[in-house]
Amino acid sequence: MSRFPRGFVENSSMEEPKIGRRPTICFRPINPSDLERLEQIHRDIFPIRYESEFFQNVVNGGDIVSWAAVDRSRPDGHSEELIGFVTAKIVLAKESEISDLIRYDSSKGEETLVYILTLGVVETYRKRGIAKSLINEVVKYACGIPVCRGVYLHVIAHNNPAIRLYKRMSFRCVRRLHGFYLINGQHFDSYLFVYFINGSRSPCSPLDLAVLVLNYMRSGIKSVASKLTMNHEEKGSKWLKSKDNTRCLLPTQTKRNLASERVSSGYDYV
């Protein structure tokens, strides 16, 4: 299950539930009575098929933890029907694909991570903060595990709404994996996002150092350019003042987000 398209959301072809004027969204564990609905939503919004063993593991609480989103305001016995879900599992940090990013504390014993497997919300309930709340449930769960160092997931590279959500929630984009997903015979890239918890921090990678050096060089160039501009303004100040007694100021450039720098760099390690 390590190559499932986690967090990938497509438009659903299923018959969508109607939403009341004031939906009452609640969250609870997924249980065996949710099996059919859970399979249906996965079928309709993900581009691949999941094995029956996966769903059985989710609803029976095997080695997968899960949360369901339901709308308690729905009538006709649908108040407990799934409108969203998130599934996750605990993995050993040293055996994960981000083991090189974790600073280990030997005093804590076997350190772990929580890996988000799938995340989905039916179309009519999207853009209501449900996905964010589901992720928060996972993060809260992970924070309650003293040896847990973080929550991580994959997202297909063209799923911009999900990417924006993870960035807003302070997930860090640490890698771009080329050809990670194979969907209908076509390969798609994936981003790997991590939310570090319980005092964990990612060590500075070679690319991080390169980005810092590059930013330092850029800041130096900007400083030189600024001084040249100031000198030019001083030389031309009489001409500027003689026109309308005002000074022309160059707009300041906002600082770029470090994560955005990495993503746009085109390197595998972003």
Side-chain angles (χ1 to χ4, degrees), residues 126-146:
R126 293 175 194 163
K127 298 183 179 180
R128 293 175 174 269
I130 297 174
K132 179 180 179 180
S133 296
L134 286 166
I135 295 172
N136 279 333
E137 291 292 327
V138 179
V139 172
K140 183 169 62 175
Y141 168 79
C143 288
I145 305 173

Side-chain angles (χ1 to χ4, degrees), residues 42-75:
H42 275 75
R43 230 177 8 249
D44 287 333
I45 68 177
F46 291 127
I48 67 170
R49 294 291 176 262
Y50 289 79
E51 297 177 357
S52 175
E53 180 184 358
F54 167 75
F55 296 110
Q56 291 293 335
N57 203 336
V58 173
V59 301
N60 291 312
D63 61 349
I64 295 178
V65 292
S66 61
W67 289 263
V70 298
D71 180 2
R72 294 274 166 81
S73 68
R74 292 181 64 193

Side-chain angles (χ1 to χ4, degrees), residues 104-119:
Y104 293 97
D105 184 350
S106 58
S107 66
K108 292 187 176 182
E110 288 283 16
E111 295 178 323
T112 63
L113 297 164
V114 173
Y115 178 48
I116 294 180
L117 293 165
T118 61
L119 169 68

Side-chain angles (χ1 to χ4, degrees), residues 177-208:
L177 305 173
H178 293 287
F180 182 79
Y181 296 127
L182 178 61
I183 302 172
N184 297 326
Q186 185 176 356
H187 288 279
F188 295 89
D189 292 355
S190 165
Y191 289 123
L192 196 157
F193 281 86
V194 185
Y195 185 91
F196 295 100
I197 62 171
N198 292 334
S200 178
R201 291 292 185 274
S202 171
C204 196
S205 71
L207 183 59
D208 288 332

Side-chain angles (χ1 to χ4, degrees), residues 231-246:
N231 291 335
H232 178 73
E233 286 182 353
E234 289 175 358
K235 291 179 181 179
S237 60
K238 293 181 180 179
W239 180 84
L240 289 171
K241 289 180 180 179
S242 66
K243 294 287 289 184
D244 57 6
N245 201 32
T246 60

